[in-house]
Amino acid sequence: MFTISAFTGWLRRHRIACFGLMVLSFIAFGLLTLDLVRLVSANVAFVSENGWQGLQDGGLRQLLELLASVVMAMLSWLLFKVCETVLVQWLTR
């Protein structure tokens, strides 16, 4: 089974790949959160104004897609922080 310690061990052995993964996760986080607050607030306003009809017209599906974007953004941020921690520990030793 693939564990977190095995993953961080791999990152410690491959520092350039760790840095590249950190950059990619930072870009992914930025792209996923670019307009997220505006989109979620617009979706909530649409659903609250139109009620059940708004949910049937796609408001619920869009809200679930936005929540999936939030989850992906948080996973990208966590990956960034793991890579950052590995690199900072290497640099301070």
Side-chain angles (χ1 to χ4, degrees):
M1 185 172 150
F2 193 71
T3 63
I4 296 295
S5 61
F7 179 64
T8 56
W10 185 86
L11 289 174
R12 284 186 184 97
R13 289 188 305 275
H14 302 90
R15 292 183 191 104
I16 294 173
C18 179
F19 182 75
L21 194 58
M22 185 174 78
V23 169
L24 289 175
S25 64
F26 179 77
I27 291 170
F29 177 75
L31 290 175
L32 287 168
T33 59
L34 186 63
D35 242 356
L36 201 56
V37 172
R38 186 182 62 81
L39 291 173
V40 169
S41 63
N43 181 269
V44 169
F46 173 75
V47 171
S48 66
E49 288 173 9
N50 297 305
W52 181 250
Q53 186 64 38
L55 290 175
Q56 289 178 334
D57 287 340
L60 180 62
R61 180 177 176 187
Q62 185 182 31
L63 184 61
L64 292 175
E65 290 171 356
L66 289 170
L67 290 176
S69 293
V70 168
V71 169
M72 292 304 294
M74 290 310 300
L75 289 174
S76 297
W77 180 76
L78 285 173
L79 180 60
F80 173 81
K81 294 304 282 183
V82 167
C83 292
E84 177 192 35
T85 301
V86 167
L87 290 174
V88 166
Q89 285 175 354
W90 171 69
L91 287 171
T92 56
R93 286 184 185 182

Coordinates of all heavy atoms in Angstrom, one line a residue:
M1 N 0.8 -1.2 0.0 CA 0.0 0.0 0.0 C 0.9 1.2 0.0 O 1.9 1.3 0.7 CB -0.9 0.0 1.2 CG -1.9 1.1 1.3 SD -3.0 0.9 2.6 CE -3.4 2.5 3.0
F2 N 0.5 2.2 -0.8 CA 1.3 3.5 -0.9 C 0.9 4.4 0.2 O -0.2 4.8 0.4 CB 0.9 4.1 -2.3 CG 1.9 5.2 -2.7 CD1 3.2 4.9 -3.0 CD2 1.5 6.5 -2.6 CE1 4.0 5.9 -3.4 CE2 2.3 7.5 -3.0 CZ 3.6 7.2 -3.4
T3 N 1.9 4.7 1.0 CA 1.6 5.6 2.2 C 2.2 7.0 2.0 O 3.0 7.2 1.1 CB 2.2 5.0 3.5 OG1 3.6 4.9 3.3 CG2 1.6 3.6 3.7
I4 N 1.9 7.9 2.9 CA 2.4 9.2 2.9 C 3.9 9.2 3.1 O 4.6 10.0 2.4 CB 1.7 10.1 3.9 CG1 0.2 10.2 3.6 CG2 2.3 11.5 4.0 CD1 -0.1 11.0 2.3
S5 N 4.4 8.4 4.0 CA 5.8 8.4 4.3 C 6.6 7.9 3.1 O 7.7 8.3 2.8 CB 6.1 7.5 5.5 OG 5.7 6.2 5.3
A6 N 6.0 6.9 2.3 CA 6.7 6.5 1.1 C 6.7 7.6 0.1 O 7.7 7.8 -0.6 CB 6.0 5.3 0.5
F7 N 5.6 8.4 0.0 CA 5.6 9.5 -1.0 C 6.6 10.6 -0.6 O 7.3 11.1 -1.4 CB 4.1 10.0 -1.0 CG 4.0 11.2 -2.0 CD1 4.2 11.0 -3.3 CD2 3.7 12.4 -1.5 CE1 4.1 12.1 -4.2 CE2 3.5 13.5 -2.4 CZ 3.7 13.3 -3.7
T8 N 6.6 10.9 0.7 CA 7.6 12.0 1.1 C 9.0 11.4 1.0 O 9.9 12.2 0.7 CB 7.3 12.4 2.5 OG1 7.3 11.3 3.4 CG2 6.0 13.2 2.6
G9 N 9.2 10.2 1.2 CA 10.6 9.6 1.0 C 11.0 9.7 -0.5 O 12.1 10.0 -0.8
W10 N 10.0 9.5 -1.4 CA 10.3 9.6 -2.8 C 10.6 11.1 -3.1 O 11.5 11.4 -3.9 CB 9.1 9.1 -3.7 CG 9.4 9.2 -5.1 CD1 10.0 8.2 -5.9 CD2 9.1 10.2 -6.0 NE1 10.1 8.6 -7.2 CE2 9.6 9.9 -7.3 CE3 8.5 11.5 -5.9 CZ2 9.4 10.7 -8.4 CZ3 8.4 12.3 -7.0 CH2 8.9 11.9 -8.2
L11 N 9.9 12.0 -2.5 CA 10.1 13.4 -2.8 C 11.5 13.8 -2.3 O 12.2 14.7 -2.9 CB 9.0 14.3 -2.1 CG 7.6 14.2 -2.8 CD1 6.6 15.0 -1.9 CD2 7.7 14.8 -4.2
R12 N 11.9 13.3 -1.1 CA 13.2 13.6 -0.6 C 14.3 13.1 -1.5 O 15.4 13.7 -1.6 CB 13.4 13.0 0.8 CG 12.6 13.7 1.9 CD 12.9 13.2 3.3 NE 12.1 13.9 4.3 CZ 10.9 13.4 4.7 NH1 10.5 12.2 4.3 NH2 10.2 14.1 5.6
R13 N 14.1 12.0 -2.1 CA 15.2 11.4 -3.0 C 15.2 12.1 -4.3 O 16.2 12.1 -5.0 CB 14.9 9.9 -3.2 CG 15.2 9.1 -2.0 CD 15.2 7.6 -2.3 NE 13.9 7.2 -2.9 CZ 12.8 6.8 -2.2 NH1 12.9 6.9 -0.9 NH2 11.8 6.4 -2.8
H14 N 14.1 12.7 -4.8 CA 14.0 13.4 -6.1 C 13.6 14.8 -5.9 O 12.5 15.2 -6.1 CB 13.0 12.7 -7.0 CG 13.3 11.2 -7.2 ND1 12.8 10.2 -6.3 CD2 14.0 10.6 -8.1 CE1 13.2 9.1 -6.7 NE2 13.9 9.2 -7.8
R15 N 14.6 15.6 -5.5 CA 14.3 17.0 -5.1 C 13.9 17.9 -6.3 O 13.1 18.8 -6.2 CB 15.6 17.6 -4.5 CG 15.8 17.0 -3.1 CD 17.0 17.7 -2.4 NE 17.4 16.9 -1.3 CZ 18.4 16.1 -1.2 NH1 19.2 16.0 -2.3 NH2 18.7 15.4 -0.2
I16 N 14.4 17.6 -7.5 CA 14.0 18.4 -8.7 C 12.6 18.1 -9.1 O 11.8 19.0 -9.4 CB 15.0 18.2 -9.9 CG1 16.4 18.7 -9.5 CG2 14.5 18.8 -11.1 CD1 17.5 18.4 -10.5
A17 N 12.2 16.8 -9.0 CA 10.9 16.4 -9.3 C 9.9 17.0 -8.2 O 8.8 17.4 -8.5 CB 10.7 14.9 -9.3
C18 N 10.4 17.1 -7.0 CA 9.6 17.7 -5.9 C 9.4 19.1 -6.2 O 8.2 19.6 -6.0 CB 10.4 17.5 -4.5 SG 9.5 18.2 -3.1
F19 N 10.4 19.9 -6.6 CA 10.2 21.3 -6.9 C 9.3 21.4 -8.1 O 8.4 22.3 -8.1 CB 11.6 21.9 -7.3 CG 11.5 23.4 -7.6 CD1 11.3 24.3 -6.6 CD2 11.6 23.8 -8.9 CE1 11.2 25.6 -6.8 CE2 11.5 25.2 -9.2 CZ 11.2 26.1 -8.1
G20 N 9.4 20.6 -9.1 CA 8.5 20.7 -10.3 C 7.1 20.4 -9.9 O 6.1 21.1 -10.3
L21 N 6.9 19.4 -9.0 CA 5.5 19.1 -8.5 C 5.0 20.2 -7.7 O 3.8 20.5 -7.8 CB 5.6 17.8 -7.7 CG 4.3 17.1 -7.4 CD1 3.5 16.7 -8.7 CD2 4.6 15.8 -6.6
M22 N 5.8 20.9 -6.9 CA 5.4 22.0 -6.1 C 4.9 23.2 -7.1 O 3.9 23.8 -6.8 CB 6.5 22.5 -5.2 CG 6.1 23.6 -4.3 SD 7.4 24.0 -3.1 CE 8.5 25.0 -4.1
V23 N 5.7 23.4 -8.1 CA 5.3 24.5 -9.1 C 3.9 24.1 -9.7 O 3.0 25.0 -9.8 CB 6.4 24.7 -10.1 CG1 5.9 25.5 -11.3 CG2 7.6 25.3 -9.5
L24 N 3.8 22.9 -10.2 CA 2.6 22.5 -10.8 C 1.4 22.6 -9.9 O 0.3 23.0 -10.3 CB 2.7 21.1 -11.4 CG 3.6 20.9 -12.6 CD1 3.7 19.4 -13.0 CD2 3.1 21.7 -13.8
S25 N 1.5 22.2 -8.7 CA 0.4 22.2 -7.7 C 0.1 23.7 -7.4 O -1.1 24.0 -7.2 CB 0.7 21.4 -6.4 OG 1.8 22.0 -5.7
F26 N 1.1 24.6 -7.4 CA 0.8 26.0 -7.1 C 0.0 26.6 -8.3 O -1.0 27.3 -8.1 CB 2.1 26.7 -7.0 CG 2.0 28.2 -6.8 CD1 1.6 28.7 -5.5 CD2 2.2 29.1 -7.8 CE1 1.4 30.1 -5.3 CE2 2.0 30.5 -7.6 CZ 1.7 31.0 -6.4
I27 N 0.4 26.2 -9.5 CA -0.4 26.7 -10.7 C -1.8 26.1 -10.7 O -2.7 26.9 -11.0 CB 0.4 26.3 -12.0 CG1 1.7 27.1 -12.1 CG2 -0.5 26.5 -13.2 CD1 2.6 26.6 -13.2
A28 N -1.9 24.9 -10.4 CA -3.3 24.3 -10.3 C -4.1 24.9 -9.3 O -5.3 25.2 -9.5 CB -3.2 22.8 -10.0
F29 N -3.6 25.2 -8.1 CA -4.3 25.9 -7.0 C -4.7 27.3 -7.5 O -5.9 27.7 -7.3 CB -3.4 26.0 -5.8 CG -4.1 26.8 -4.7 CD1 -5.1 26.2 -3.9 CD2 -3.7 28.1 -4.4 CE1 -5.8 26.9 -2.9 CE2 -4.3 28.8 -3.4 CZ -5.4 28.2 -2.6
G30 N -3.8 28.0 -8.2 CA -4.2 29.3 -8.6 C -5.3 29.3 -9.7 O -6.2 30.1 -9.6
L31 N -5.2 28.4 -10.6 CA -6.2 28.3 -11.7 C -7.6 27.9 -11.1 O -8.6 28.3 -11.5 CB -5.8 27.3 -12.8 CG -4.6 27.8 -13.6 CD1 -4.2 26.7 -14.6 CD2 -5.0 29.1 -14.4
L32 N -7.6 26.9 -10.1 CA -8.8 26.4 -9.6 C -9.5 27.5 -8.7 O -10.7 27.4 -8.6 CB -8.6 25.1 -8.8 CG -8.3 23.9 -9.7 CD1 -7.8 22.8 -8.8 CD2 -9.5 23.5 -10.4
T33 N -8.8 28.4 -8.1 CA -9.4 29.3 -7.2 C -9.5 30.7 -7.8 O -9.9 31.6 -7.1 CB -8.5 29.4 -5.9 OG1 -7.2 29.9 -6.2 CG2 -8.5 28.1 -5.1
L34 N -9.2 30.9 -9.1 CA -9.2 32.2 -9.7 C -10.5 32.9 -9.5 O -10.5 34.1 -9.0 CB -8.9 32.0 -11.2 CG -8.7 33.2 -12.0 CD1 -7.4 34.0 -11.5 CD2 -8.5 32.9 -13.5
D35 N -11.6 32.4 -9.8 CA -12.9 33.1 -9.7 C -13.9 32.3 -8.9 O -15.1 32.5 -9.0 CB -13.5 33.2 -11.1 CG -13.6 34.7 -11.5 OD1 -13.3 35.5 -10.7 OD2 -14.0 34.9 -12.7
L36 N -13.4 31.5 -8.0 CA -14.2 30.6 -7.2 C -15.2 31.3 -6.3 O -16.4 30.9 -6.3 CB -13.4 29.6 -6.4 CG -14.0 28.3 -6.0 CD1 -14.6 27.6 -7.2 CD2 -13.0 27.5 -5.3
V37 N -14.8 32.3 -5.6 CA -15.7 33.0 -4.7 C -16.8 33.7 -5.4 O -18.0 33.6 -5.1 CB -14.9 34.0 -3.8 CG1 -15.8 34.9 -3.0 CG2 -13.9 33.3 -3.0
R38 N -16.5 34.3 -6.6 CA -17.6 35.0 -7.4 C -18.6 34.0 -7.9 O -19.8 34.2 -7.9 CB -16.9 35.8 -8.5 CG -17.9 36.6 -9.3 CD -17.3 37.3 -10.4 NE -16.7 36.5 -11.4 CZ -17.4 35.8 -12.4 NH1 -18.7 36.0 -12.5 NH2 -16.7 35.1 -13.2
L39 N -18.1 32.9 -8.4 CA -18.9 31.8 -9.0 C -19.8 31.2 -8.0 O -21.0 31.0 -8.2 CB -18.1 30.8 -9.7 CG -17.4 31.2 -11.0 CD1 -16.5 30.1 -11.5 CD2 -18.4 31.6 -12.1
V40 N -19.3 30.9 -6.8 CA -20.1 30.3 -5.8 C -21.2 31.2 -5.3 O -22.3 30.9 -5.1 CB -19.2 29.8 -4.6 CG1 -20.1 29.4 -3.4 CG2 -18.4 28.6 -5.0
S41 N -20.8 32.5 -5.1 CA -21.8 33.5 -4.6 C -22.9 33.7 -5.7 O -24.1 33.9 -5.3 CB -21.1 34.8 -4.2 OG -20.5 35.4 -5.3
A42 N -22.5 33.7 -6.9 CA -23.5 33.9 -8.0 C -24.4 32.7 -8.1 O -25.6 32.8 -8.3 CB -22.8 34.1 -9.3
N43 N -23.9 31.5 -7.8 CA -24.7 30.3 -7.9 C -25.7 30.2 -6.7 O -26.8 29.9 -6.8 CB -23.8 29.0 -7.8 CG -24.6 27.8 -7.9 OD1 -24.9 27.2 -6.8 ND2 -24.9 27.3 -9.1
V44 N -25.2 30.6 -5.5 CA -26.1 30.6 -4.3 C -27.2 31.7 -4.5 O -28.3 31.5 -4.2 CB -25.2 30.9 -3.1 CG1 -26.1 31.2 -1.9 CG2 -24.4 29.7 -2.8
A45 N -26.8 32.8 -5.1 CA -27.8 33.9 -5.4 C -28.9 33.4 -6.4 O -30.1 33.6 -6.2 CB -27.2 35.1 -5.9
F46 N -28.4 32.7 -7.4 CA -29.4 32.1 -8.4 C -30.3 31.1 -7.8 O -31.5 31.2 -8.0 CB -28.6 31.4 -9.5 CG -29.4 30.7 -10.5 CD1 -30.1 31.4 -11.5 CD2 -29.4 29.3 -10.5 CE1 -30.9 30.7 -12.4 CE2 -30.2 28.6 -11.4 CZ -31.0 29.3 -12.4
V47 N -29.8 30.2 -7.0 CA -30.6 29.2 -6.3 C -31.6 29.8 -5.3 O -32.8 29.5 -5.3 CB -29.8 28.1 -5.7 CG1 -30.6 27.2 -4.8 CG2 -29.0 27.3 -6.7
S48 N -31.1 30.8 -4.6 CA -32.0 31.4 -3.6 C -33.1 32.3 -4.2 O -34.2 32.4 -3.7 CB -31.2 32.3 -2.6 OG -30.6 33.4 -3.3
E49 N -32.8 32.9 -5.4 CA -33.8 33.7 -6.1 C -34.9 32.8 -6.8 O -36.0 33.1 -6.9 CB -33.2 34.6 -7.2 CG -32.4 35.7 -6.6 CD -31.6 36.5 -7.7 OE1 -31.8 36.2 -8.9 OE2 -30.8 37.4 -7.3
N50 N -34.4 31.6 -7.3 CA -35.3 30.8 -8.2 C -35.8 29.6 -7.4 O -36.6 28.8 -8.0 CB -34.6 30.4 -9.5 CG -34.3 31.6 -10.3 OD1 -35.2 32.4 -10.6 ND2 -33.0 31.8 -10.6
G51 N -35.3 29.3 -6.3 CA -35.8 28.2 -5.5 C -35.6 26.8 -6.2 O -34.6 26.5 -6.8
W52 N -36.7 26.0 -6.1 CA -36.7 24.7 -6.6 C -36.4 24.7 -8.1 O -35.7 23.8 -8.6 CB -38.0 24.0 -6.3 CG -38.0 22.6 -6.8 CD1 -38.8 22.1 -7.8 CD2 -37.3 21.4 -6.3 NE1 -38.6 20.7 -8.0 CE2 -37.6 20.3 -7.1 CE3 -36.3 21.3 -5.3 CZ2 -37.1 19.1 -6.9 CZ3 -35.8 20.0 -5.1 CH2 -36.1 18.9 -5.9
Q53 N -37.0 25.6 -8.8 CA -36.8 25.7 -10.3 C -35.3 26.0 -10.6 O -34.8 25.4 -11.6 CB -37.7 26.8 -10.9 CG -37.7 26.8 -12.4 CD -38.2 25.6 -13.0 OE1 -39.2 25.0 -12.5 NE2 -37.6 25.1 -14.1
G54 N -34.7 26.8 -9.8 CA -33.3 27.0 -10.0 C -32.4 25.8 -9.8 O -31.4 25.6 -10.5
L55 N -32.8 24.9 -8.9 CA -32.1 23.7 -8.7 C -32.3 22.7 -9.9 O -31.4 22.1 -10.3 CB -32.5 23.0 -7.4 CG -32.1 23.7 -6.1 CD1 -32.7 23.0 -4.9 CD2 -30.6 23.7 -6.0
Q56 N -33.5 22.7 -10.4 CA -33.8 21.8 -11.5 C -33.2 22.3 -12.8 O -32.9 21.5 -13.7 CB -35.3 21.8 -11.7 CG -36.1 20.9 -10.7 CD -37.6 20.9 -10.9 OE1 -38.1 21.8 -11.5 NE2 -38.2 19.9 -10.4
D57 N -33.0 23.6 -12.9 CA -32.3 24.2 -14.1 C -30.8 24.1 -14.1 O -30.2 24.6 -15.0 CB -32.7 25.7 -14.2 CG -34.2 25.9 -14.7 OD1 -34.8 24.9 -15.2 OD2 -34.7 27.0 -14.5
G58 N -30.3 23.4 -13.2 CA -28.8 23.2 -13.2 C -28.1 23.8 -12.0 O -26.8 23.7 -12.0
G59 N -28.8 24.5 -11.2 CA -28.1 25.2 -10.1 C -27.4 24.2 -9.1 O -26.3 24.4 -8.6
L60 N -28.1 23.1 -8.8 CA -27.5 22.1 -7.9 C -26.3 21.4 -8.6 O -25.2 21.2 -7.9 CB -28.5 21.0 -7.6 CG -28.1 19.9 -6.6 CD1 -27.6 20.5 -5.3 CD2 -29.1 18.9 -6.4
R61 N -26.4 21.1 -9.9 CA -25.2 20.5 -10.5 C -24.0 21.4 -10.6 O -22.9 21.0 -10.3 CB -25.6 20.1 -12.0 CG -24.5 19.4 -12.7 CD -24.8 19.0 -14.1 NE -23.6 18.5 -14.7 CZ -23.6 18.1 -16.0 NH1 -24.6 18.2 -16.7 NH2 -22.4 17.7 -16.5
Q62 N -24.3 22.7 -10.9 CA -23.2 23.6 -10.9 C -22.6 23.8 -9.5 O -21.4 23.9 -9.4 CB -23.7 25.0 -11.4 CG -22.6 26.0 -11.6 CD -23.0 27.3 -12.1 OE1 -24.2 27.7 -11.8 NE2 -22.2 28.0 -12.8
L63 N -23.4 23.8 -8.5 CA -22.9 23.9 -7.1 C -22.0 22.7 -6.7 O -21.0 22.9 -6.2 CB -24.0 24.1 -6.1 CG -23.6 24.3 -4.7 CD1 -22.8 25.6 -4.5 CD2 -24.9 24.3 -3.8
L64 N -22.4 21.5 -7.1 CA -21.6 20.4 -6.9 C -20.3 20.4 -7.7 O -19.3 20.0 -7.1 CB -22.4 19.1 -7.2 CG -23.6 18.8 -6.3 CD1 -24.4 17.6 -6.8 CD2 -23.2 18.6 -4.9
E65 N -20.4 20.9 -8.9 CA -19.1 21.1 -9.7 C -18.2 22.1 -9.0 O -17.0 21.9 -9.0 CB -19.4 21.5 -11.1 CG -20.1 20.4 -11.9 CD -20.6 20.9 -13.3 OE1 -20.5 22.1 -13.6 OE2 -21.1 20.0 -14.0
L66 N -18.7 23.2 -8.5 CA -17.9 24.1 -7.8 C -17.3 23.6 -6.5 O -16.2 23.9 -6.2 CB -18.7 25.4 -7.5 CG -19.1 26.2 -8.7 CD1 -20.1 27.3 -8.3 CD2 -17.9 26.9 -9.4
L67 N -18.1 22.8 -5.8 CA -17.6 22.1 -4.6 C -16.4 21.1 -5.0 O -15.5 21.0 -4.2 CB -18.7 21.4 -3.8 CG -19.7 22.4 -3.2 CD1 -20.8 21.6 -2.5 CD2 -19.0 23.3 -2.2
A68 N -16.6 20.5 -6.1 CA -15.5 19.6 -6.6 C -14.2 20.4 -6.9 O -13.1 20.0 -6.6 CB -15.9 18.8 -7.8
S69 N -14.4 21.6 -7.5 CA -13.3 22.5 -7.7 C -12.6 22.9 -6.4 O -11.4 23.0 -6.4 CB -13.7 23.7 -8.5 OG -14.1 23.3 -9.8
V70 N -13.4 23.1 -5.4 CA -12.9 23.5 -4.1 C -12.0 22.4 -3.5 O -10.9 22.6 -3.0 CB -14.0 23.9 -3.1 CG1 -13.5 24.0 -1.7 CG2 -14.7 25.2 -3.6
V71 N -12.5 21.2 -3.6 CA -11.8 20.0 -3.1 C -10.5 19.8 -3.9 O -9.4 19.6 -3.3 CB -12.7 18.7 -3.2 CG1 -11.9 17.5 -2.9 CG2 -13.8 18.8 -2.2
M72 N -10.5 20.0 -5.2 CA -9.3 19.8 -6.0 C -8.3 20.9 -5.7 O -7.1 20.7 -5.6 CB -9.6 19.8 -7.5 CG -10.4 18.6 -8.0 SD -9.6 17.1 -7.6 CE -8.2 17.2 -8.6
A73 N -8.8 22.1 -5.4 CA -7.9 23.2 -5.1 C -7.2 23.0 -3.7 O -6.0 23.2 -3.6 CB -8.7 24.6 -5.0
M74 N -8.0 22.4 -2.8 CA -7.4 22.1 -1.5 C -6.4 21.0 -1.6 O -5.4 21.1 -0.9 CB -8.5 21.8 -0.4 CG -9.4 23.0 -0.1 SD -8.5 24.4 0.4 CE -7.5 23.9 1.8
L75 N -6.7 20.0 -2.4 CA -5.7 18.9 -2.6 C -4.4 19.5 -3.2 O -3.3 19.1 -2.9 CB -6.3 17.8 -3.4 CG -7.3 17.0 -2.7 CD1 -7.9 16.0 -3.7 CD2 -6.8 16.3 -1.5
S76 N -4.6 20.4 -4.2 CA -3.4 21.0 -4.8 C -2.6 21.8 -3.8 O -1.4 21.8 -3.7 CB -3.8 22.0 -5.9 OG -4.4 21.3 -6.9
W77 N -3.3 22.5 -2.9 CA -2.6 23.3 -1.8 C -1.9 22.4 -0.9 O -0.7 22.7 -0.5 CB -3.6 24.2 -1.1 CG -3.0 25.0 0.0 CD1 -2.3 26.1 -0.1 CD2 -3.1 24.7 1.4 NE1 -1.9 26.6 1.1 CE2 -2.4 25.7 2.1 CE3 -3.7 23.7 2.2 CZ2 -2.2 25.7 3.4 CZ3 -3.5 23.7 3.5 CH2 -2.8 24.7 4.1
L78 N -2.5 21.3 -0.5 CA -1.9 20.3 0.4 C -0.6 19.7 -0.2 O 0.4 19.6 0.4 CB -2.8 19.2 0.8 CG -3.9 19.6 1.8 CD1 -4.9 18.5 2.0 CD2 -3.3 20.0 3.1
L79 N -0.7 19.4 -1.5 CA 0.5 18.9 -2.2 C 1.6 19.9 -2.2 O 2.8 19.6 -2.0 CB 0.1 18.4 -3.6 CG 1.2 17.9 -4.5 CD1 1.8 16.6 -3.8 CD2 0.7 17.6 -5.9
F80 N 1.2 21.2 -2.5 CA 2.2 22.2 -2.5 C 2.9 22.3 -1.1 O 4.1 22.5 -1.0 CB 1.5 23.6 -2.8 CG 2.4 24.8 -2.6 CD1 3.3 25.1 -3.6 CD2 2.4 25.5 -1.5 CE1 4.1 26.2 -3.5 CE2 3.2 26.6 -1.3 CZ 4.1 27.0 -2.3
K81 N 2.1 22.3 0.0 CA 2.7 22.4 1.3 C 3.6 21.2 1.7 O 4.6 21.3 2.4 CB 1.5 22.5 2.4 CG 0.7 23.8 2.3 CD 1.6 25.0 2.3 CE 2.0 25.3 3.7 NZ 2.8 26.6 3.9
V82 N 3.2 20.0 1.2 CA 4.1 18.8 1.5 C 5.4 19.0 0.8 O 6.5 18.8 1.4 CB 3.4 17.5 1.0 CG1 4.3 16.4 0.9 CG2 2.2 17.2 1.9
C83 N 5.4 19.4 -0.5 CA 6.6 19.6 -1.2 C 7.4 20.8 -0.6 O 8.6 20.7 -0.5 CB 6.3 20.0 -2.7 SG 5.6 18.6 -3.6
E84 N 6.7 21.8 -0.2 CA 7.4 22.9 0.5 C 8.1 22.4 1.7 O 9.3 22.8 2.0 CB 6.4 24.0 0.8 CG 7.1 25.2 1.5 CD 6.0 26.1 2.1 OE1 4.9 25.6 2.5 OE2 6.3 27.3 2.1
T85 N 7.5 21.6 2.5 CA 8.0 21.1 3.8 C 9.3 20.3 3.5 O 10.3 20.4 4.2 CB 7.0 20.3 4.6 OG1 5.9 21.2 4.8 CG2 7.6 19.8 5.9
V86 N 9.2 19.4 2.5 CA 10.3 18.5 2.2 C 11.5 19.4 1.7 O 12.6 19.2 2.2 CB 9.9 17.5 1.0 CG1 11.1 16.9 0.5 CG2 8.9 16.5 1.6
L87 N 11.3 20.4 0.9 CA 12.4 21.2 0.4 C 13.0 22.1 1.5 O 14.2 22.3 1.5 CB 11.9 22.0 -0.8 CG 11.6 21.2 -2.1 CD1 11.1 22.1 -3.2 CD2 12.9 20.5 -2.6
V88 N 12.1 22.6 2.3 CA 12.6 23.5 3.4 C 13.4 22.6 4.4 O 14.5 23.1 4.9 CB 11.5 24.2 4.1 CG1 11.9 24.8 5.5 CG2 10.9 25.3 3.2
Q89 N 13.0 21.4 4.7 CA 13.8 20.6 5.6 C 15.1 20.2 5.0 O 16.1 20.2 5.7 CB 13.0 19.3 5.9 CG 11.8 19.5 6.9 CD 11.0 18.2 7.0 OE1 11.3 17.2 6.4 NE2 10.1 18.3 7.9
W90 N 15.2 20.0 3.7 CA 16.4 19.7 3.0 C 17.3 20.9 3.0 O 18.5 20.8 3.3 CB 16.1 19.3 1.6 CG 17.4 19.2 0.7 CD1 18.4 18.2 0.9 CD2 17.8 20.0 -0.3 NE1 19.4 18.5 0.0 CE2 19.0 19.5 -0.8 CE3 17.2 21.1 -0.9 CZ2 19.7 20.2 -1.9 CZ3 17.9 21.7 -2.0 CH2 19.1 21.2 -2.4
L91 N 16.8 22.1 2.8 CA 17.6 23.3 2.8 C 18.1 23.7 4.1 O 19.2 24.4 4.2 CB 16.8 24.5 2.2 CG 16.6 24.4 0.7 CD1 15.6 25.5 0.2 CD2 17.9 24.5 -0.1
T92 N 17.4 23.4 5.2 CA 17.8 23.8 6.5 C 18.7 22.8 7.2 O 19.2 23.1 8.4 CB 16.6 24.1 7.4 OG1 15.8 23.0 7.5 CG2 15.9 25.3 6.9
R93 N 19.0 21.7 6.6 CA 19.9 20.7 7.2 C 21.3 21.0 6.8 O 21.7 21.5 5.9 CB 19.5 19.3 6.8 CG 18.3 18.9 7.5 CD 18.0 17.5 7.1 NE 16.7 17.2 7.7 CZ 16.1 16.0 7.7 NH1 16.7 15.0 7.0 NH2 15.0 15.8 8.2

